Amino acid sequence: MNHDPDPRRGTEANELTWLLLRTVWRRAWIIGAVALLVGATAVGFSYLMQPQFTATATLLPQTGSSTSGLMAAIGTFANLPLPGNEQNLEMLYPVIVRSNRILDGVIEQRWRFRDDDQSLYDVFGIDPAVGADSLDSARRLKKHLRERVLSFHQDKQVGVMELSVTAPRDPRFAAILANALTDSLGSFIVAFNRDKATAKLLYVQRRIDEITVELQAA
């Protein structure tokens, strides 16, 4: 059997194509106006949106920091809600940096932002309320820092952790805040280790005194 193509189908397709082209041509100014409006809107939004800059600090792991009482000791020292399983100290860096102990310290400081002396409330656009509302403002600022400013990434193979700080409009400020947070983390670890060593020394001294008394009694 011969299956010759129907010439009427080709004619109908050509007519439909020309009809579509004529319609597009007649409405070309509408299409161009819509495209121009969308482009102008996108450009306007790009100028209205604040540029964001991210600075990253590398946190090196500590060796031999895993102990049986590490989690409970840090929780007591920093008033942190920590998980119950045992982990290395560097695994707690994200929790420590986001703790009230660290964030309250940076909130109280003044910062050089875009060649001006400002607080973190001014930098991130949060109203620094006074009086009874000041605590709510501090909570909102710390929530903003935890959720939108601070982020962590760890290379599981080598254990190196990166702290990233994202800040608006000023890349130098992002780097300054990242360095300040790493310095605060270092000071926290030094103070924690010092207090832990002091507690161990006091425990050993107390046991020596107790054993001495027992020996004298015997």
Side-chain angles (χ1 to χ4, degrees), residues 39-51:
T41 303
V43 172
F45 272 116
S46 66
Y47 280 100
L48 292 176
M49 293 178 61
Q50 295 181 354

Side-chain angles (χ1 to χ4, degrees), residues 120-133:
L120 291 186
Y121 292 99
D122 301 323
V123 172
F124 295 106
I126 295 178
D127 182 25
V130 296
D133 296 332

Side-chain angles (χ1 to χ4, degrees), residues 64-75 83-89 92 192 196 200:
S65 59
S66 178
T67 60
S68 59
L70 180 61
M71 300 295 294
I74 291 182
N85 59 315
E86 184 179 322
Q87 302 181 34
N88 292 331
L89 180 58
L92 302 177
F192 168 74
K196 187 178 178 181
K200 285 184 177 181

